[in-house]
Amino acid sequence: MTNSTQRRFSLTLTERMFPRSAAMIGAALLLSGCSLFSHKDGPAAIPKAADAETLYNYGIDALHSGRYQLASGEFELLQQNYPYSGFTGNAELMEGYSYYLQGEYALSVQQLERYLQLHPTSPDAAYAFYLRALCYYEQIADVQRDQQGTVEALNALEEVVTRFPQTSYARDAQLKIDLCRDHLAGKEMLVGRWYQQQHNYEAAMTRYQRVVQDFQTTNHTAEALERLVEVYLALGLKDQAQQTASVLGYNYPDSTWYHDAYADMRDAGLLSNDMKTPVASKQKTDAQRGFFSRAWHSVF
């Protein structure tokens, strides 16, 4: 899901959670006058005597018109002036949403966590947890960089699935969990390939084994198995190479990675009876070997 799609999705949820009648909107506009729309990003010209409902409607209007900084300021003003209003809880949540739309993810997480502490049993808690997870997800870095952000996103998304398994938030979170796991596996493969190029085979083996053990449902598993065959052969571990090649052939018999592993085992004179002959001989170029890394980079 793209950023713009996520934001439209979130705004639709906002409208559903906090419906407003035409009369309420009209009253808000009458009280605000033309001055509300005279500043694109600056402070709102709100009368000091505006009540909580009016302030809340100003914030919603600002969200709909794309003035997210203005919206967050109005929701914050409502909380300061009317801490016990019936609109205050919604304003706390919508302030977090406004920060998210501004790309102020740290502020959004802080505000959403505050909301969840104050309203742990709120019917909108699922939305707050999901939005908090999105804040982490939006900050996932390229596989070339540190992946602590990906781990935080994964944990936050899993919390959504665990707490609210039957919701639409959980279904979307699960899709993003799969992408996070693929991203983490891609990082392990990147580091493993580097170690292998440096002939540090033990370190490379550790990385590839982690992909096979911890990320076996990702699209990196076949390559990890083939790389393990290469590493085992380089270390003279013939039995491990045979076992790994057999596992690769059983699970991914038509993959180019199995073709490579089969060729390596044949050249080493280590073909075993349980290694099936590939359907067709395929050779993979270096550019093709980097396909998965490029694909995962494009996802984020």
Side-chain angles (χ1 to χ4, degrees):
M1 187 183 296
T2 64
N3 291 351
S4 60
T5 302
Q6 291 172 354
R7 290 176 179 176
R8 289 197 299 273
F9 177 54
S10 299
L11 189 52
T12 300
L13 292 170
T14 301
E15 294 168 344
R16 177 176 58 80
M17 290 191 300
F18 311 119
R20 297 175 298 130
S21 66
M24 291 170 62
I25 299 174
L29 293 176
L30 286 174
L31 286 171
S32 64
C34 297
S35 60
L36 175 62
F37 301 97
S38 62
H39 303 279
K40 183 177 181 180
D41 291 315
I46 301 175
K48 293 182 179 180
D51 59 24
E53 182 177 346
T54 300
L55 290 173
Y56 182 77
N57 287 331
Y58 283 161
I60 294 297
D61 288 334
L63 281 179
H64 280 282
S65 59
R67 295 170 300 161
Y68 307 131
Q69 184 177 354
L70 177 62
S72 60
E74 290 171 353
F75 292 130
E76 183 177 2
L77 184 61
L78 188 158
Q79 297 167 61
Q80 292 174 351
N81 291 348
Y82 304 97
Y84 305 109
S85 166
F87 290 90
T88 303
N90 288 349
E92 292 166 352
L93 179 56
M94 298 313 296
E95 183 181 356
Y97 177 53
S98 301
Y99 287 138
Y100 167 77
L101 293 176
Q102 295 175 56
E104 296 285 354
Y105 300 122
L107 288 176
S108 182
V109 169
Q110 181 181 8
Q111 180 65 21
L112 292 168
E113 289 180 345
R114 177 174 178 270
Y115 171 82
L116 290 168
Q117 289 175 357
L118 295 173
H119 313 280
T121 59
S122 167
D124 299 317
Y127 176 70
F129 273 104
Y130 172 75
L131 188 56
R132 173 177 170 270
L134 285 185
C135 289
Y136 289 117
Y137 184 79
E138 297 285 1
Q139 299 179 80
I140 290 178
D142 179 79
V143 292
Q144 302 280 348
R145 301 173 62 184
D146 180 77
Q147 292 302 300
Q148 180 58 36
T150 307
V151 174
E152 292 176 344
L154 180 64
N155 292 337
L157 289 164
E158 288 179 339
E159 189 170 11
V160 174
V161 174
T162 301
R163 288 177 177 269
F164 312 100
Q166 303 303 319
T167 65
S168 59
Y169 307 116
R171 290 189 290 272
D172 187 69
Q174 186 59 61
L175 295 175
K176 290 179 171 57
I177 286 172
D178 294 339
L179 289 174
C180 287
R181 291 176 58 79
D182 281 330
H183 206 60
L184 292 173
K187 177 66 173 184
E188 294 296 322
M189 292 301 301
L190 180 69
V191 176
R193 286 191 293 266
W194 185 84
Y195 279 133
Q196 187 176 357
Q197 290 169 0
Q198 302 301 313
H199 304 290
N200 187 345
Y201 298 119
E202 291 83 359
M205 179 176 61
T206 299
R207 297 289 180 160
Y208 298 146
Q209 286 176 339
R210 188 185 176 204
V211 173
V212 174
Q213 294 169 2
D214 298 342
F215 303 105
Q216 58 186 249
T217 60
T218 71
N219 289 327
H220 292 276
T221 307
E223 181 187 356
L225 289 168
E226 193 274 337
R227 300 291 186 185
L228 279 172
V229 171
E230 294 177 354
V231 168
Y232 289 143
L233 290 175
L235 293 172
L237 302 174
K238 299 179 181 180
D239 290 342
Q240 288 90 330
Q242 286 181 322
Q243 293 171 3
T244 303
S246 296
V247 171
L248 176 58
Y250 180 81
N251 289 280
Y252 306 96
D254 299 326
S255 71
T256 55
W257 301 110
Y258 179 56
H259 283 275
D260 283 355
Y262 186 90
D264 290 342
M265 297 300 291
R266 181 192 59 211
D267 293 344
L270 295 174
L271 289 178
S272 58
N273 293 331
D274 56 351
M275 287 188 65
K276 300 179 181 179
T277 304
V279 176
S281 177
K282 296 182 181 179
Q283 296 298 323
K284 186 162 59 283
T285 66
D286 289 340
Q288 289 173 318
R289 288 176 181 270
F291 169 78
F292 287 114
S293 296
R294 294 197 306 275
W296 258 243
H297 172 73
S298 67
V299 168
F300 300 95

